[in-house]
Amino acid sequence: MPTVIDSNALPWEERFNEKIGAALYRKNLFIDPETGMEVRLVRYPAGIVNPRHTHPCGHGMFVLEGTLVTHEGTFGPGSFVWFPEGETMEHGASAEHDVVVLFITNKPFEIHYS
C-alpha cells in the first residue's frame, strides 16, 4: 500500500540552527525504517546559507520555489542538485527570496560543520 502525505496540511517545523544563528523550516514526508533514507520539504529563509559542512549520506535537492545558492552556483525551480556523500558543501537561499526544496537522502541524515 502506498504512503500518501498531504504536505499542504503539514505545518512547517521550525528548527533553530546555532551554527547559522537562524531557523530553517521543514516538513518531514517519509523516513524508510530499513535504510534511513529521508524525504522532506525544506525552506531556507531569504539570505540564509548553511556554511561549509559535510554529511555521511548523499542527498539531493529539487528546487520548488526560489533560488538555491550553493558552493557550485545558483539553481532555480525545476533544478535537481545531488551532493555526494562526504563532499564539503554550502547551500541555502538567495538574498531576494526564500527557497523551498524537496530534500532526499540515501541513508540516515547527519550534519558535520568544518
Side-chain angles (χ1 to χ4, degrees):
M1 180 168 204
T3 299
V4 178
I5 306 294
D6 178 1
S7 65
N8 293 317
L10 294 176
W12 285 102
E13 178 185 337
E14 183 175 335
R15 305 280 296 190
F16 185 78
N17 182 312
E18 290 185 20
K19 187 70 173 177
I20 59 178
L24 304 178
Y25 300 85
R26 70 183 186 186
K27 294 182 181 189
N28 290 323
L29 302 178
F30 182 78
I31 298 175
D32 185 310
E34 291 181 23
T35 65
M37 180 272 299
E38 297 184 33
V39 180
R40 63 175 70 145
L41 292 173
V42 176
R43 179 169 49 91
Y44 289 81
I48 300 298
V49 175
N50 209 346
R52 297 231 175 242
H53 63 277
T54 61
H55 301 283
C57 59
H59 71 288
M61 294 180 159
F62 181 77
V63 182
L64 299 169
E65 300 173 18
T67 301
L68 178 67
V69 175
T70 78
H71 61 289
E72 292 289 335
T74 58
F75 307 93
S79 298
F80 179 75
V81 183
W82 182 258
F83 299 93
E85 180 178 327
E87 178 178 302
T88 300
M89 66 193 75
E90 305 184 323
H91 45 68
S94 69
E96 297 79 25
H97 303 286
D98 292 1
V99 66
V100 177
V101 299
L102 182 65
F103 182 90
I104 304 162
T105 69
N106 64 345
K107 54 187 177 182
F109 177 81
E110 292 178 25
I111 188 167
H112 305 280
Y113 289 98
S114 303

